[in-house]
Amino acid sequence: MTAIHQKGQKVIALNGDEAVAYAVKQCDVDVVAAYPITPQTIIVEKFSEYVHDGEVDTEFICTESEHSALTCCLTAAAVGARTFTATASAGLALMHEILYVTSGCRAPVVMAVANRALSAPINIHCDHSDSMAERDSGWIQLYAENSQEAYDSIIQAFRIAEHLEILLPTLVGLDGFFLSHTLENVAVLPDETVRNFVKQRQFPLVENHDGKMVPFKLDPENPITIGPLDLQDYYFEHKRQQEEGMQKAPEIIRKIHDEFAERSGRTYGNGLVETYGLDDAELVTVCLGSTAGTVKTVVDQLRAKGVKAGLLRIRAFRPLPVQDIVEALRNAKAIAVMDRSCSFGGYGGPVFHEIRHALYDSNLHPPTVDYIYGLGGRDMPQHMIQRIYQDLEKIRITGKIQHPVQFIGLRE
Amino acid sequence: MSSEWKFTAKEIAERTDLFMSGHRACAGCAPATVHRLVLKAIRGPTIATNSTGCMEVTSTIYPFTAWKIPWIHTAFETAAANASGIETALKVLKRKDRIEHEHVDVIAFGGDGGTFDIGIQALSGAVERGHDFLYVLYDNEAYMNTGIQRSGGTPLGAWTTTSPAGRRIPGKPQLKKPIADIMVAHEMPYVATASPAFWTDLLRKVRRGLEVDGPAFLHVIAPCPRGWRSDPSKSIAISRLAVETCTFPLWEATDGEYSLSAPSKVMALRPERKKTVTEYLKMQGRFRHLFKPEFEHVIGRIQETVNKRWHKLLGKCNIS
């Protein structure tokens, strides 16, 4: 708390959605376009209040669909505006087409996703099916553990997305209801500090059709064509450039995280992954989002009993910080990945795919298993996490895996 | 404030083309003519956007572009949402003193597929929200970019690859959606129809659409020789006949008040000059099957529909 006061911060009670709206309010955003969907609704409601009370100099477009919301952000960003949207579940699925267009047009849109299950059956509660389904869409994906991190990550996201070496849209996931609707103490920075941190948008220079270098935006003084037909002869190179932006992102995300930490006193691991009790840990779980908070409590309990338990929390899922993951898992004897979504017909969930895949080249092949948990908002209490560590202990001793992929916390 | 520019042929010819030659549209493509004409009528700095479609594809094949003004394309159903984002960004950036221009106009172009069908939701939303932009619908009456499939804008009886001239079902069984009337029902400031054959009328309406405060919608008939199975040299003649047969009457509605435009007013005042739909249909191979004896009744139905819609329009224009 001392640190907080030193930085001129104040602590206010905010739920995750409110924390996001508060961050957006401070970031000098020009255009917000959104469509309400549970559990993201509070973000748009709160932001509407800021607009109608004159607390922000932002145009808010209440669109008729998420598809149009993201499209508005994309084209507004192309004109030069800083833009934000927020959605969840079906809303993100409806945006699917435009997610790819946004990253392809290198429009640095920032989006909050209050993670929620996909239909059918319809369910308004938390899982990661929505944003995991978009992991190949060319968006940077950060997942927050708590509302404080959601607030901090949104501010960092504008810097990340708009960084001239990256220029890729950035998504911040916060677990629906667990974070979006749960009141927490959130330390907020002074408006001025945030404003100075995010700065004004800059534009790279690109060659126009007259061979002149002009700012990459829709400007009547320097006309350029954005979003053309691009066939076998050039499309591939453009997609490669997107991937180059992604490859440069981990280092920049880490630097922006550190720079923010100087102002806030808060860190989230190295900005890409966070380790908890990992130094000498033999039994390691890997997860992302709010579940990490519960896992940390269990790790503390196990450590008190002398069990060498640890946690690796993935903050940046895209780009995947492969080296950091491998480094963090170097001493693990048994690993349990926790997936809050299901890749139907695949070998485990999406996080499992990435973690096992990352380990393959490292010549570290500790037994690694997957737990699909918490779909549709099913709780993940401490006793179930304890069970996972018990399973890991058995695997460590026997060296044998009975179930590489299993569901946990449901009727079977 | 009305424009001082009177759109004389000389002035139009002297104006720089902002939609350039060298694009890859087919011979006789009326949509390309429409785009060129629309950009002849702009009044200052302008940003344009297109939905996915023939004109997007043929005008921007990378690394070339036919556009001498800033232009963006995102997807098929998004022309109006594109315009919404552009217009809003211009407004806020101007307010924050980050744009030098006093005003920048926004024009969204959509084909019939992108407007009558897949893009109508975004269009309706943008108009309801009151964004200040001009939407130009270039209507070639089918999905031509994908190879001539029926749309909500395809007229009754027309052959397309998804409404074939079959032995049992002779072309499209449904009527053309009255899209411009649907837009008038949005109580928007300005809605008009136009034909490239009556280019002064078209240019005036473009300018009017840009000048009104709020959204404007311009529905332009735009023959496609490939899809209409018509002579590429006759596209303008066919778009004239569309008006002269009252198949596609020219009108404008300012704040919901309909008035007939000069080329159609002639038909209203001197009905004997109104031509039969047969003259229009026979120039187009897409209606050829209707001239077989077993399907001639469809031509009768087309004429009845045209008459019915025409009289309804005359009523809205207070012409009895």
Side-chain angles (χ1 to χ4, degrees):
Chain A
M1 281 298 135
T2 318
I4 286 167
H5 288 128
Q6 277 172 352
K7 304 281 181 190
Q9 300 182 65
K10 58 180 177 184
V11 177
I12 47 180
L14 296 173
N15 61 40
D17 277 359
E18 288 170 339
V20 167
Y22 199 95
V24 176
K25 178 175 97 143
Q26 295 182 302
C27 287
D28 189 24
V29 175
D30 301 309
V31 176
V32 171
Y35 186 86
I37 181 170
T38 304
Q40 152 267 35
T41 326
I42 302 166
I43 301 175
V44 292
E45 288 173 342
K46 201 70 206 168
F47 202 80
S48 302
E49 288 175 23
Y50 293 146
V51 172
H52 282 228
D53 290 338
E55 289 188 48
V56 287
D57 192 3
T58 305
E59 286 290 323
F60 179 40
I61 315 176
C62 248
T63 55
E64 81 298 330
S65 73
E66 290 90 351
H67 196 280
S68 288
L70 182 56
T71 305
C72 286
C73 287
L74 194 180
T75 56
V79 174
R82 174 171 291 152
T83 63
F84 172 83
T85 187
T87 191
S89 181
L92 187 61
L94 186 60
M95 286 178 177
H96 175 74
E97 178 192 24
I98 307 300
L99 291 173
Y100 282 75
V101 182
T102 307
S103 57
C105 287
R106 309 301 291 268
V109 178
V110 170
M111 165 155 64
V113 173
N115 285 111
R116 165 185 156 181
L118 286 170
S119 294
I122 189 166
N123 176 300
I124 58 169
H125 291 281
C126 176
D127 70 36
H128 296 155
S129 311
D130 49 5
S131 51
M132 281 298 155
E134 308 302 345
R135 62 192 185 276
D136 295 337
S137 63
W139 283 60
I140 289 170
Q141 291 198 350
L142 305 177
Y143 288 85
E145 179 184 328
N146 48 45
S147 300
Q148 180 70 66
E149 190 181 350
Y151 167 84
D152 293 342
S153 299
I154 289 288
I155 297 168
Q156 294 169 30
F158 286 105
R159 283 283 301 279
I160 296 166
E162 294 171 8
H163 194 286
L164 298 187
E165 297 286 311
I166 299 181
L167 270 189
L168 288 172
T170 301
L171 173 163
V172 175
L174 64 154
D175 285 348
F177 290 100
F178 294 119
L179 297 186
S180 68
H181 284 59
T182 307
L183 215 56
E184 264 183 44
N185 279 337
V186 175
V188 298
L189 289 159
D191 293 351
E192 210 45 39
T193 309
V194 176
R195 185 71 72 99
N196 290 338
F197 180 79
V198 295
K199 305 187 181 96
Q200 257 196 21
R201 256 194 84 181
Q202 302 295 311
F203 302 90
L205 294 178
V206 292
E207 192 180 339
N208 74 1
H209 284 86
D210 299 325
K212 190 175 147 198
M213 297 306 282
V214 300
F216 180 54
K217 61 177 174 177
L218 297 171
D219 172 9
E221 286 307 305
N222 297 296
I224 57 168
T225 289
I226 301 179
L229 176 71
D230 195 17
L231 298 176
Q232 304 94 318
D233 45 358
Y234 287 101
Y235 177 90
F236 204 1
E237 280 77 13
H238 288 136
K239 290 289 131 181
R240 170 61 184 264
Q241 287 179 341
Q242 259 180 258
E243 177 58 14
E244 284 168 6
M246 272 288 180
Q247 294 302 329
K248 286 176 190 161
E251 186 61 18
I252 296 163
I253 293 171
R254 207 176 49 70
K255 279 186 183 159
I256 289 169
H257 163 268
D258 292 350
E259 200 186 313
F260 187 80
E262 284 169 24
R263 288 166 168 78
S264 67
R266 290 184 292 276
T267 54
Y268 302 100
N270 68 355
L272 302 165
V273 298
E274 185 193 357
T275 60
Y276 193 80
L278 259 196
D279 286 345
D280 63 341
E282 295 182 339
L283 313 180
V284 180
T285 55
V286 182
C287 73
L288 37 80
S290 66
T291 309
T294 320
V295 176
K296 286 174 182 174
T297 304
V298 173
V299 167
D300 289 345
Q301 292 162 357
L302 293 172
R303 284 279 172 178
K305 292 181 195 165
V307 179
K308 288 185 174 176
L311 161 73
L312 172 65
R313 177 170 75 89
I314 310 293
R315 180 173 187 245
F317 187 68
R318 286 289 181 273
L320 191 78
V322 177
Q323 294 311 319
D324 299 273
I325 290 168
V326 170
E327 189 54 40
L329 297 175
R330 190 159 291 280
N331 298 320
K333 300 283 186 284
I335 299 168
V337 177
M338 296 168 68
D339 265 296
R340 198 160 206 152
S341 66
C342 188
S343 172
F344 297 100
Y347 187 23
V351 186
F352 182 63
H353 299 163
E354 299 288 4
I355 301 299
R356 286 239 303 202
H357 182 41
L359 290 172
Y360 186 84
D361 290 335
S362 69
N363 290 324
L364 301 171
H365 300 127
T368 305
V369 293
D370 192 26
Y371 291 87
I372 311 283
Y373 78 101
L375 299 192
R378 179 66 54 86
D379 200 13
M380 187 63 179
Q382 294 176 20
H383 70 84
M384 272 197 286
I385 296 165
Q386 284 158 359
R387 205 203 97 191
I388 291 175
Y389 279 106
Q390 286 160 11
D391 290 354
L392 284 182
E393 177 64 3
K394 270 183 227 158
I395 292 170
R396 186 187 68 84
I397 293 166
T398 61
K400 285 181 185 159
I401 295 173
Q402 268 195 316
H403 306 288
V405 180
Q406 57 182 303
F407 285 65
I408 187 167
L410 80 169
R411 300 173 193 87
E412 273 190 302
Chain B
M1 193 185 79
S2 70
S3 161
E4 292 189 10
W5 188 41
K6 300 296 183 199
F7 304 112
T8 64
K10 185 171 178 289
E11 276 173 296
I12 292 164
E14 283 172 355
R15 279 204 136 201
T16 312
D17 267 315
L18 297 169
F19 184 79
M20 302 286 288
S21 59
H23 58 72
R24 301 185 187 190
C26 309
C29 171
T33 307
V34 170
H35 277 63
R36 186 174 171 217
L37 284 172
V38 168
L39 293 201
K40 287 273 191 186
I42 66 172
R43 58 177 178 164
T46 304
I47 297 176
T49 183
N50 272 62
S51 64
T52 307
C54 283
M55 294 318 296
E56 168 261 328
V57 164
T58 56
S59 70
T60 70
I61 184 162
Y62 189 88
F64 305 103
T65 185
W67 298 84
K68 295 291 275 184
I69 59 173
W71 179 93
I72 188 168
H73 156 257
T74 61
F76 195 1
E77 64 276 53
T78 49
N82 293 347
S84 305
I86 295 166
E87 185 259 0
T88 306
L90 289 168
K91 188 160 59 178
V92 64
L93 294 178
K94 179 69 200 163
R95 192 166 71 219
K96 294 185 180 182
D97 214 18
R98 303 223 298 268
I99 286 182
E100 287 166 25
H101 302 97
E102 199 49 48
H103 182 80
V104 179
D105 281 321
V106 181
I107 304 177
F109 291 92
D112 48 296
T115 307
F116 287 78
D117 296 346
I118 199 166
I120 195 168
Q121 174 180 323
L123 174 60
S124 179
V127 169
E128 181 267 334
R129 292 189 298 271
H131 296 283
D132 187 10
F133 73 112
L134 168 65
Y135 191 102
V136 177
L137 155 60
Y138 68 94
D139 184 4
N140 56 21
E141 301 195 320
Y143 292 86
M144 299 314 187
N145 193 37
T146 40
I148 320 164
Q149 293 83 31
R150 59 88 85 190
S151 77
T154 304
L156 174 69
W159 160 90
T160 70
T161 58
T162 51
S163 61
R167 284 187 292 277
R168 279 186 57 198
I169 304 173
K172 187 184 171 190
Q174 300 89 3
L175 300 178
K176 183 183 180 79
K177 191 192 280 187
I179 188 75
D181 292 320
I182 291 169
M183 296 322 295
V184 174
H186 282 69
E187 299 185 358
M188 61 193 290
Y190 186 71
V191 177
T193 64
S195 158
F198 301 94
W199 47 269
T200 46
D201 180 70
L202 188 154
L203 294 170
R204 185 183 62 79
K205 286 168 174 171
V206 169
R207 183 57 76 88
R208 183 86 193 103
L210 292 171
E211 283 169 352
V212 295
D213 192 14
F217 182 85
L218 182 60
H219 181 184
V220 189
I221 190 76
C224 164
R226 288 287 304 128
W228 291 21
R229 295 292 192 250
S230 55
D231 181 339
S233 70
K234 298 293 181 202
S235 294
I236 298 302
I238 293 170
S239 49
R240 181 175 294 110
L241 266 176
V243 176
E244 290 171 345
T245 57
C246 299
T247 306
F248 193 86
L250 301 187
W251 51 269
E252 61 192 328
T254 304
D255 295 323
E257 294 293 320
Y258 282 75
S259 67
L260 276 187
S261 308
S264 283
K265 210 176 242 173
V266 176
M267 308 300 144
L269 299 178
R270 303 180 60 184
E272 71 280 6
R273 290 179 65 170
K274 182 180 165 214
K275 294 177 178 167
T276 64
V277 292
T278 310
E279 288 190 53
Y280 177 62
L281 302 179
K282 72 183 181 194
M283 291 183 77
Q284 304 171 46
R286 62 176 174 158
F287 296 113
R288 193 176 54 198
H289 56 286
L290 302 183
F291 291 89
K292 291 178 187 168
E294 64 269 36
F295 295 134
E296 269 180 343
H297 64 279
V298 179
I299 296 179
R301 222 186 122 207
I302 292 171
Q303 184 67 66
E304 279 167 32
T305 309
V306 165
N307 292 348
K308 194 174 147 194
R309 288 186 170 183
W310 171 244
H311 287 292
K312 206 168 154 185
L313 175 64
L314 293 181
K316 287 177 190 167
C317 298
N318 295 316
I319 299 171
S320 49

